[in-house]
Amino acid sequence: MTTANDIIRTAEAEICRPWPRYILSHADWAALTHASVTEPWTLLAHWADTVQAHALFLDPRALTIIPVSTPIEAGHYPALSPVLPGAAWYERMIHDLWGHVAQDGIDARPWLDHGTWPQMRPMATRPEPRTAIEPLLLADPDREGAMMLPLGPVWGRLDEAAHLRLTLNGSTVQHAEAVLGFTHKGTLTLMRGKSPRAAARFAARLSADATVAHSIAFAEATEAALDVAAPTRAVALRIVMLEVERIAGHLDNLTEIGRLADSQSVRTRCGLLRETLLRATAAAFGHRLMMDCVVPGGVATDIAEGGPQVILRALGDIASQLDSIRRLHDGPALALRLAGLGRTDKQLVAALGVGGVVGRSSGRAFDVRTMLSPGYAALAPRIATRAEGDAAVRQHLRLFEISESLRLIGAALDALPDGPLTVALPQASGEGIGCAESIRGDIWHWLRLDHGQIASVFPRDPGWALWPLAERVLEGADADDASLIRASLALPASGMDL
Amino acid sequence: MILRTPHPDPVGPADPETTASLAARLEAAAQARLGRGLAIRHVNTGSCNGCELELRALNNVLYDLERFGLRFVESPRHADVLLVTGPLTRNLRTALEQAWDATPDPKWVVAVGDCAVDGGVFKGSYAVLGGTGLAVPVDLTIGGCPPPPARILAGLRALLEANAK
């Protein structure tokens, strides 16, 4: 039987740094899809441009990344979703943006396109003006006497816009369907044709609590495409920012879960610690969320005079309270509420390639910091994995990651190298891939530059893997727990709505 | 001796002048002390979540929004203020209009963040309308990307003062 590696070995490759991109015929593309399941490879992302469909695979044993492409022929390409169900949402996105049809795909309903844009297929070479408004099609539960509970898109107190349709039996969720795309802002068309420096503002606004991670992945993809490397001081400052963002994001999650699970002491203390940290980052980097602080080629500004001390003081406050916050999570109020809640299925987590805290709470020990992110090797980041996969374990992993990030920031600031902050970017052409570990898991950016301008780009947010998982996790749960499960999985919207 | 059940003395109406003056004093005091509260419903019209992060920060103990009588509510039907974030994507226009229709009069609309003010960096995209004002009338704008909590709080307190007058 042909293995995935056999197919790759005989394929033509295009220059894409750091991993070559293989061009496959439709037959080879379909064969690779089947072979990827037996390997098993993980599908990380699936997107398109005007002439090709692309997929990004991970070989978890060899720890390599494999980008593959197949030409669009007469508007069609072979679908991945019959073999890899997680690809269905990507295929719907590709159809809505480029108009390419995934042949034999399992779901052809619109995804981002809710029938409100003035044009159809906005990323195609020639977008078509819309003639009629088509209503959004939703799965019909078609069950006698079933009760439908729609949540959102305006949902929660201060949350992102997403829509969940729960089919209930009593108070138990029988079926959950997520409808996203509400926050689609046309980011990809806005990035196209711009220089990487100009387009970085959009990468930074894909998902604000992962703004540093998205900016780093985008910057690394640009640097790879142009075959330059960010200076060592910039790499170290990026690590500091990324880990500060991780602590701030996890503290926000702990605050939110504390509020939803009625633990006022956790809510109050974690909220205060997050605020202390954000005031320190404003002093050190000039922006509370560090938006636009990472740019292609390096970092936008140096850390302020006395900035390291301000950051370290805020981290000291967090370190001194971490143990007691951990004890609160072991106490009866939170432990009983969270134990067994929102349990994830190990096989599904592996098949969907779910990363971050959710993946690591369910046995998938994938973290790009351990193998791919520059500068981390010297710091030797430690990764914790658990097998239980419930909300209680996820909070403990978040607390562990905070303590580990505290150590990483301390080590990075301790050995902060001197030198320039940016490297000049040549006005050249090239193709590159970058990645970063955000609070929700691995982020991947692919882009192609044409004489210094973006010809094509795709950012893959962790939400692409988290939402299909959430639909399964919600099945069998109590409808009253939907908000808590949403917070526990930290489900985003904007990053994958593009 | 047979005791007759005692009856209270009959009374006439309360002094209308005293009643009227007390009622006036109560109304004035209540308006100043109790009437200074606003219920806020947040409506996300396509934000990147940055404004939400800073709005959530308003609940932490350092800003403590509720000490000013400001609180976030779950439904537009309970709201005095619609606090709108995001560049107003076309996919969320109906949601904003429905929330506005559901909010009882008198109501205020506050646009928070550069996106909600005029579309921000997303201005000109096929998928966004470019600012809250293109769908509903806006009373107050608070710029910034995202605006820090202190600035949002200052804007909301100004609204509170105006509302009390």
Side-chain angles (χ1 to χ4, degrees), chain A residues 322-381:
Chain A
L322 216 49
D323 274 339
S324 69
I325 293 172
R326 198 174 283 129
R327 275 198 298 279
L328 285 171
H329 281 82
D330 288 329
L334 271 174
L336 285 178
R337 184 77 182 89
L338 300 180
L341 187 83
R343 201 181 287 279
T344 51
D345 176 69
K346 217 170 164 167
Q347 259 112 40
L348 189 62
V349 163
L352 289 170
V354 178
V357 168
V358 178
R360 291 191 280 274
S361 74
S362 203
R364 186 169 179 264
F366 184 67
D367 188 324
V368 295
R369 291 178 298 167
T370 56
M371 48 180 260
L372 297 171
S373 296
Y376 274 97
L379 305 172

Side-chain angles (χ1 to χ4, degrees), chain A residues 171-471:
Chain A
S171 69
T172 310
V173 178
Q174 274 192 332
H175 179 77
E177 189 190 8
V179 183
L180 278 86
F182 289 99
T183 71
H184 177 75
K185 297 180 269 293
T187 308
L188 298 187
T189 39
L190 292 168
M191 290 172 93
R192 207 168 46 178
K194 291 199 170 63
S195 72
R197 275 302 279 269
R201 288 179 65 76
F202 298 99
R205 282 159 185 77
L206 280 162
S207 180
D209 42 17
T211 175
V212 176
H214 269 292
S215 297
I216 290 177
F218 177 75
E220 280 182 12
T222 308
E223 290 150 14
L226 297 171
D227 205 11
V228 297
T232 51
R233 187 175 176 84
V235 169
L237 287 174
R238 284 178 182 180
I239 290 176
V240 173
M241 290 188 223
L242 186 60
E243 298 306 321
V244 166
E245 177 176 86
R246 190 178 325 283
I247 297 176
H250 284 343
L251 283 173
D252 181 50
N253 187 277
L254 291 163
T255 310
E256 194 61 9
I257 298 266
R259 180 178 78 79
L260 290 167
D262 295 321
S263 173
Q264 286 308 315
S265 41
V266 169
R267 183 187 77 88
T268 314
R269 293 166 82 170
C270 293
L272 176 61
L273 289 175
R274 175 181 158 89
E275 181 62 25
T276 315
L277 183 59
L278 293 196
R279 289 183 181 187
T281 58
F285 296 107
H287 193 286
R288 286 165 56 91
L289 305 178
M290 297 167 287
M291 227 170 223
D292 304 322
C293 288
V294 173
V295 293
V299 291
T301 48
D302 205 351
I303 189 165
E305 188 85 31
Q309 289 74 30
V310 176
I311 297 262
L312 289 173
R313 212 172 306 135
L315 298 187
D317 283 354
I318 296 168
S320 67
Q321 295 204 35
L322 216 49
D323 274 339
S324 69
I325 293 172
R326 198 174 283 129
R327 275 198 298 279
L328 285 171
H329 281 82
D330 288 329
L334 271 174
L336 285 178
R337 184 77 182 89
L338 300 180
L341 187 83
R343 201 181 287 279
T344 51
D345 176 69
K346 217 170 164 167
Q347 259 112 40
L348 189 62
V349 163
L352 289 170
V354 178
V357 168
V358 178
R360 291 191 280 274
S361 74
S362 203
R364 186 169 179 264
F366 184 67
D367 188 324
V368 295
R369 291 178 298 167
T370 56
M371 48 180 260
L372 297 171
S373 296
Y376 274 97
L379 305 172
R382 287 177 303 210
I383 309 301
T385 42
R386 298 278 289 266
E388 295 93 323
D390 66 354
V393 158
R394 288 195 280 274
Q395 293 319 83
H396 276 287
L397 280 184
R398 288 189 171 106
L399 286 162
F400 169 81
E401 294 200 356
I402 289 175
S403 67
E404 182 61 5
S405 294
L406 291 173
R407 186 184 72 81
L408 294 173
I409 297 166
L413 284 176
D414 214 29
L416 202 58
D418 286 324
L421 295 170
T422 49
V423 64
L425 298 176
Q427 293 278 312
S429 305
E431 196 179 310
I433 295 174
C435 63
E437 188 71 21
S438 77
I439 53 162
R440 299 190 179 88
D442 41 317
I443 286 176
W444 299 85
H445 279 236
W446 168 88
L447 60 78
R448 182 161 54 221
L449 294 172
D450 184 12
H451 297 91
Q453 287 189 331
I454 290 176
S456 193
V457 60
F458 185 75
R460 181 271 198 187
D461 191 82
W464 285 103
L466 284 169
W467 275 99
L469 177 74
E471 286 184 342

Side-chain angles (χ1 to χ4, degrees), chain B residues 131-142:
Chain B
T132 311
L134 290 164
V136 297
V138 174
D139 299 293
L140 175 69
T141 58
I142 301 172

Side-chain angles (χ1 to χ4, degrees), chain A residues 341-342 394 470 473-474 477-478 481-491:
Chain A
L341 187 83
R394 288 195 280 274
V473 168
L474 282 165
D478 195 287
D481 290 337
S483 288
L484 198 50
I485 291 174
R486 180 191 187 184
S488 173
L489 298 173
L491 296 173

Side-chain angles (χ1 to χ4, degrees), chain B residues 45-46 84-90 92-93 96-97 109-125 127-138 141:
Chain B
T45 63
V84 188
T85 58
L88 188 54
T89 62
R90 289 179 187 271
L92 278 166
R93 180 197 191 136
L96 174 62
E97 287 172 349
V109 175
V110 182
V112 171
D114 288 349
C115 284
V117 173
D118 68 349
V121 295
F122 299 103
K123 222 180 317 188
S125 160
V128 308
L129 289 165
T132 311
L134 290 164
V136 297
V138 174
T141 58

